[in-house]
Amino acid sequence: MILTPHDRLFVLTGAGISAESGLATFRGSGGLWNGYRVDQVATPEAWHADPELVWRFYSMRRRDALAAQPNAAHLALAKIEHKLANNFYLCTQNVDDLHERAGSLRVHHMHGSVFQSRCVQCRVPFPDQGVYETAAELPMCPECGEAVRPHIVWFGEIPLDMDGIYRELEQATRLLVVGTSGSVYPAAGFVHVASQRGIHTVYVGPEEPSNADAFDEIILGPATTVLPGLL
Ligand code: APR
């Protein structure tokens, strides 16, 4: 993918970009959804049924994300942002902070952040690296005493700032999608929105995503091998 100074790049990343940093993806062998059931840890119903189990799951993911380091693919995206500045927008489905730790500045976490929590009543997200693994440890809001939950968009909830995402996508000249199976909407639909607007679309990952047919170009390979040479 050759970028010109007139290009405006919209990047969408998924769990695959952090796979080579040692963080598990969701689907496929060894994926998080093989060891956990989505409906037990990643829905509002799961939270109401068993907040302790939900917090154990996200505490584990906090620990894993803290221990991980950004890889060459995260670094390559930070480098291209440095060149394109305002003509770059990175939307990630990932809740880890590896893009930021690689130096990316304009990162939108559409599915929330594993290092933020929010009170179910006050709803204001705040930074939180705590791990809560027993009923006695479950965090409570110091303001109102209500329960504090992970600031994560669960299945059945609306991703964050969809209006802002579509505004950015509509202004883009190129869409680069990295390491996502193309099975979770609305993110899986960005490629369709982009192609309807004539935006050139490229996918990077070791295997074809479920929405492969919609892309102009598919580059098969691990993100750390492909991205540094691509941009
Ligand atoms: N480089 C690039 N891509 C990779 C790599 C790699 N080294 N290793 C694996 N992948 C690809 C896989 O081929 C797969 O297509 O990453 C993709 C991971 O897909 P999923 O596990 O489905 O993750 P993702 O698409 O990010 O999931 C979307 O689902 O469970 C929810 O909210 C969660 O944000 C997540 C959403």
Side-chain angles (χ1 to χ4, degrees), residues 14-16 19-20 25-27 33 93 111 155 179-181 184 206-207 222-223:
E20 291 167 89
T25 61
F26 293 94
R27 295 163 187 84
W33 295 152
Q93 296 169 89
H111 291 167
F155 286 93
T180 172
S181 56
V184 175
E207 59 200 357

Side-chain angles (χ1 to χ4, degrees), residues 4 35 62 73 153 184 201 212 219:
T4 73
R62 277 186 179 172
V153 177
V184 175
T201 57
I219 305 175

Side-chain angles (χ1 to χ4, degrees), residues 52 55-56 59 62 117 128 130-134 137-139:
E52 192 183 329
W55 263 123
R56 270 209 303 278
S59 295
R62 277 186 179 172
S117 301
D128 187 8
V131 290
Y132 312 110
E133 289 170 326
T134 62
E137 288 171 346
L138 293 188

